[in-house]
Amino acid sequence: MNTQDTRRPAGKKLSLKEKYAQMTRGLGWDTSYEPMDQVFDQLGLEGIKIHDWDKWEDPFRLTMDAYWKYQAEKERKLYAVLDAFQQNNGHLNISDARYVNTLKLFFTGITPAEYNAHRLFAMLGRQFPGPGAAIACQMQAVDELRHVQTQIHSISQYNKYFNGLHDHTVMNDRLWYLSVPKSFFEDAISSGPFEQIIAISFALEYLLTNLVFMPFMSGAAYNGDMATVTFGFSSQSDEARHMTLGLECIKFVLEQDPGNAAIIQRYLDKWFWRGYKVLGLVSMMLDYMLPKKVMSWKEAWDIYFVQNGGSLFNDLSRYGLSMPKYWEQSVAEAEHLSHQTWNAFYNFSGAAAFHVWLPSDEDMAWLAEKYPNTFDQHYRPRIEHYRKLQAEGKRYYNPSLPMLCQTCQTPLIFTEMDDPTRTSHRQLEHDGDTYHFCSDGCRDIFAEQPDKYVSAWLPAHQILQGNCVEPGTEAAGDPGADALRYFHVVAGQDNLDYEGSPDEANWRRWKGLDKTTPAAAA
Amino acid sequence: MSVEIRVASIDPIRQTFARTARRFGADKPASRYQEASFDLQPRDNFHYRPVWDPQRDIYDRRRTAIEMRDWDDFRDPRQYYYATYVLNRARMQEAAEKSFEFVDKHGLMATLSAAQVQDIETLLLPLRHLEWAANLNNCFISAYCFGSPMAQGAIYTTTDRLGIAQYLSRIGLLLDGNSGQSLTDAKARWLDDPAWQPLRRLTERSLVQKDWFELFVAQNLVLDSLIHPLLYAPFHSGVGDTGGAYLAMLTEFIKDWSADNQKWVDACLKIATAESPANRARLSAWTAEWKALALDALAPLAQRAAHLDGPERLAAAARALDQRIAKLGFEAA
Ligand SMILES: [Fe+2]
Ligand SMILES: [Fe+2]
């Protein structure tokens, strides 16, 4: 190590790629005072074999100084818009106060998921022994924290003027329908590192993120919500990085060992179906909740899953991967999913933190056009029936607690696709108990890891067992009212119909709309 | 913007989120730091036990021996949330970038004496691996700690440490004319040079540490408080021959970062100590243990830096550590 030699340019200069490799990849070393399998002690949990972490191709070459610089530029712009939005009462520019209910769904369902992603990627950033993979995950860990916080700051203004946004973290932990996205993310985070990254980076970010992102951000744009549009676009360049990470990761793992493909296919089957069941909430948002519609769920599923996802799996077929199990069923269900989901929320709106309403004549004409095979035949008659009951002052509520799917936790409200009058219900015996499922996909997932899924916290069961009582308070004896307090849903404020809600009354007052107050909801 | 706004009629119906109001009061608007930082981590009704730690929940207080009634009490005196964090670091990197460009453009590394080059090679560049370990350790804290404020502070320190490792790498690349040879040599020193082995051994020991708060003490308090004065500080002060000022420019980010990060580290330790005598005893014992280990591990490097007053620097750093923690409310005993 002659010092004079190292000072002089030693012949060949590094390419940018080599320079990045020196600055990052060269940082790690094989430990010798402590065994590597103790330093990185989660890698053996799943049977995935990695022979050479150096084969990892960095999906993007971003050094920390460049990261700080680019991200700071984005934050400057984003917060300038948010400041203006607050100063100018931007929330008054949305199409209609009904629109805010999509934000309630997003903020209580998705923002807490972003938080889990922040911690999940920190775990991966520590667990992967290759610095290339670890650094990509660390950057995503801090990006996901950014998403949580920019969403909080964008929604902050809405929370000051609308109900149902005020306690998003507690609601995510406790509110019955939010156990669908919560259990999805906890399923991922409680898995081994390779399943973690396949679940989120690949199945969620790469395959399904458009299905969350596009509806909410376009919905925001169509409905005059500048705050959401701005944070949405601002996070899009992060998402592009995250999706590249997902694809690189799956290719890397598949190329490392031929035995990995079978495990990865199992993960893809599982996480496709897990993700698809969460998207039921998005389907009703697109078809029923946006005052100004963007596109139908069926159209979205066709473009973003069938076409884009299809060509992706075409690319991956050379590794021996095939389209996820039961994908055809998701296509068949696209004609029904949103109608059945919205119907369920209409029936159980007493226990929800957002408002519901029946579609207008105009809405129904749109639904009939978008769903020519199903809407007029199956769903319009039911809506017209509800309308009639409502006009007679007999608004229909479902007083029972629905049975929940042991895997995805959606209520068993969906029907068989070949017979829209028959509920889809599967069962499985395990250790002498019977478990219930919404679908073959969910039953299969349970059958792979029954010991994991028997421990699920099913809200309906917990309410019946009297476990949903606000800590530190006495049970009032009415499980429904106790559960609402436990959910931090304020009765008469956050729940029930939009018509007659404080949200509606405030909106009409702020906008100077007609002064006649509609009748209070039942 | 066709809406006619009548300001008087659109008073807010609440000031902030319920979780923020429970912590900071409902009667006033909350700051962006407050809304973005506290009570975000899931608390109740975990569905599954993690396969990587089946005895505990996904987020679990029992991953450290430290106990807190309120794990969200770890307020960052810098009030960093993502936007303020990256804006601050972007300013710091802008200054650093100018320094690196200046030194590069004018070929100033060539003005360094052979002794200075040797100091960089033997004392500074191998630290990039130590910074990588510090990155992994803080990433571990962010992943497995309890409560969103701690996880937030630790992930910023994680990315900071990667940034420092990369700045050190760039110093090497300036030195070797972008051949990468100096970094290859530095790695060889980290792996094989006898003077560096005790520190590498201790670093690897930190990498298998499972109590995240002990790791916080080992890495962010003890190792940092000894290594910065011993190995970084000689380069901050422009010592030695003519080129010293340039080295001070190139390591300024590291110096500024250390002062900034220390505010967060001290705040966390002060809050944990004040919580209970049991925490105080625990922090004292961990500090004593890691301090003894670190002083042993750093002794050969202090010897190697004898011409830079290495042994005196290390002894002074040990005394400063004692004084620092005394101010925080505990002691290394
Ligand atoms: Fe995200
Ligand atoms: Fe299911």
Side-chain angles (χ1 to χ4, degrees), chain A residues 35-215:
Chain A
M36 281 290 272
D37 63 359
Q38 292 298 306
V39 175
F40 301 101
D41 63 353
Q42 295 183 10
L43 293 176
L45 291 171
E46 298 161 272
I48 296 265
K49 291 199 177 67
I50 304 295
H51 304 288
D52 185 3
W53 281 95
D54 287 342
K55 291 269 161 39
W56 172 273
E57 283 286 333
D58 295 302
F60 39 87
R61 289 191 278 277
L62 191 57
T63 50
M64 268 325 294
D65 55 350
Y67 179 91
W68 289 322
K69 188 175 152 191
Y70 296 146
Q71 298 298 100
E73 203 44 56
K74 281 155 65 175
E75 292 306 65
R76 255 183 227 112
K77 289 183 187 147
L78 170 60
Y79 280 90
V81 173
L82 292 184
D83 286 344
F85 184 81
Q86 285 173 7
Q87 276 154 22
N88 301 326
N89 284 313
H91 64 281
L92 294 176
N93 293 331
I94 54 173
S95 57
D96 184 73
R98 284 180 181 82
Y99 164 76
V100 179
N101 292 288
T102 69
L103 295 180
K104 299 175 190 178
L105 205 52
F106 186 91
F107 196 53
T108 57
I110 303 296
T111 305
E114 302 262 24
Y115 187 80
N116 275 319
H118 156 52
R119 302 290 290 268
L120 180 149
F121 279 98
M123 293 174 190
L124 291 174
R126 174 59 186 83
Q127 297 301 335
F128 284 148
I135 287 169
C137 291
Q138 291 173 5
M139 283 188 181
Q140 185 159 353
V142 71
D143 285 339
E144 298 295 358
L145 182 60
R146 167 178 198 244
H147 298 172
V148 178
Q149 296 183 335
T150 55
Q151 286 162 21
I152 286 170
H153 291 150
S154 300
I155 304 281
S156 176
Q157 173 80 354
Y158 286 101
N159 173 57
K160 290 179 178 143
Y161 292 93
F162 298 92
N163 295 308
L165 296 158
H166 51 89
D167 223 347
H168 58 135
T169 49
V170 171
M171 285 179 183
N172 191 262
D173 272 346
R174 300 181 182 181
L175 193 44
W176 60 278
Y177 55 91
L178 296 175
S179 76
V180 176
K182 177 178 164 76
S183 70
F184 172 96
F185 259 86
E186 292 186 357
D187 193 345
I189 207 169
S190 59
S191 300
F194 294 101
E195 184 171 352
Q196 287 182 337
I197 197 162
I198 294 294
I200 305 306
S201 287
F202 189 73
L204 186 77
E205 298 271 9
Y206 207 87
L207 215 51
L208 304 176
T209 212
N210 282 325
L211 268 303
V212 176
F213 210 80
M214 184 284 307

Side-chain angles (χ1 to χ4, degrees), chain A residues 494-515:
Chain A
D494 304 331
N495 60 351
L496 301 168
D497 286 341
Y498 173 71
E499 285 92 12
S501 68
D503 269 8
E504 187 201 29
N506 289 334
W507 179 253
R508 298 181 80 85
R509 189 161 50 80
W510 297 327
K511 298 287 284 185
L513 302 174
D514 70 57
K515 300 292 187 285

Side-chain angles (χ1 to χ4, degrees), chain A residues 1 3-4 6-10 12-14 19 22-24 26-29 31-34 38-39 41-42 63-65 67-69 71-72 75-76 79 82-83 86 88-89 92-93 107 115-116 119 122-123 125-127 131 135 138 141-142 145-146 149 152-153 156 159-163 165-170 173-174 182-183 186-187 189-192 196 274 409 452-453 455-457 486 488 493 509-512, chain B residues 1 3 5-6 9-19 22 32 35-36 39-52 58-59 81-83 85-87 89-90 93 97 109-110 112 114 117 121 128-129 132 135-136 139-140 142-145 148 151-152 155-156 158-160 162-163 165-167 169-170 173 175-180 183-185 187 189-191 197 200-201 204-205 207-208 210 253:
Chain A
M1 287 171 216
T3 55
Q4 294 307 316
T6 56
R7 279 172 75 184
R8 259 183 267 121
K12 182 177 84 92
K13 288 214 175 184
L14 301 174
K19 190 171 171 183
Q22 282 283 5
M23 288 176 68
T24 55
L27 294 173
W29 72 95
T31 58
S32 60
Y33 297 105
E34 303 287 345
Q38 292 298 306
V39 175
D41 63 353
Q42 295 183 10
T63 50
M64 268 325 294
D65 55 350
Y67 179 91
W68 289 322
K69 188 175 152 191
Q71 298 298 100
E75 292 306 65
R76 255 183 227 112
Y79 280 90
L82 292 184
D83 286 344
Q86 285 173 7
N88 301 326
N89 284 313
L92 294 176
N93 293 331
F107 196 53
Y115 187 80
N116 275 319
R119 302 290 290 268
M123 293 174 190
R126 174 59 186 83
Q127 297 301 335
I135 287 169
Q138 291 173 5
V142 71
L145 182 60
R146 167 178 198 244
Q149 296 183 335
I152 286 170
H153 291 150
S156 176
N159 173 57
K160 290 179 178 143
Y161 292 93
F162 298 92
N163 295 308
L165 296 158
H166 51 89
D167 223 347
H168 58 135
T169 49
V170 171
D173 272 346
R174 300 181 182 181
K182 177 178 164 76
S183 70
E186 292 186 357
D187 193 345
I189 207 169
S190 59
S191 300
Q196 287 182 337
R274 273 314 240 129
Q409 313 218 8
K452 178 166 198 176
Y453 294 102
S455 73
W457 191 90
Y486 177 73
H488 288 199
Q493 174 192 287
R509 189 161 50 80
W510 297 327
K511 298 287 284 185
Chain B
M1 305 279 169
V3 182
I5 299 164
R6 287 163 300 156
S9 68
I10 47 168
D11 289 335
I13 56 176
R14 63 179 68 75
Q15 299 287 354
T16 186
F17 299 108
R19 63 183 161 80
R22 283 190 289 270
R32 282 191 170 139
E35 287 196 339
D39 305 291
L40 296 174
Q41 178 191 283
R43 286 303 161 95
D44 299 336
N45 308 330
F46 295 111
H47 291 276
Y48 320 105
R49 284 292 171 92
V51 64
W52 37 266
I58 292 169
Y59 303 108
Y81 56 99
Y82 183 91
Y85 164 70
V86 291
L87 284 165
R89 292 299 182 260
Q93 79 80 31
E97 193 57 40
M109 290 308 255
L112 299 181
V117 171
E121 289 176 340
R128 55 202 287 275
H129 303 290
W132 175 243
N135 160 286
L136 291 178
C139 200
F140 183 93
S142 185
Y144 303 107
C145 72
S148 51
Q152 170 168 247
I155 202 70
Y156 300 152
T158 303
T159 46
D160 284 341
L162 174 61
Q166 291 177 336
Y167 279 127
S169 309
R170 283 179 68 181
L173 292 171
L175 199 65
D176 64 25
N178 269 334
S179 73
L183 303 182
T184 307
D185 293 346
K187 190 164 186 172
R189 287 199 171 83
W190 177 252
L191 291 175
Q197 296 318 296
R200 180 162 76 86
R201 178 193 290 270
E204 292 186 9
R205 178 168 170 160
L207 290 171
V208 295
K210 296 294 183 232
F253 182 98

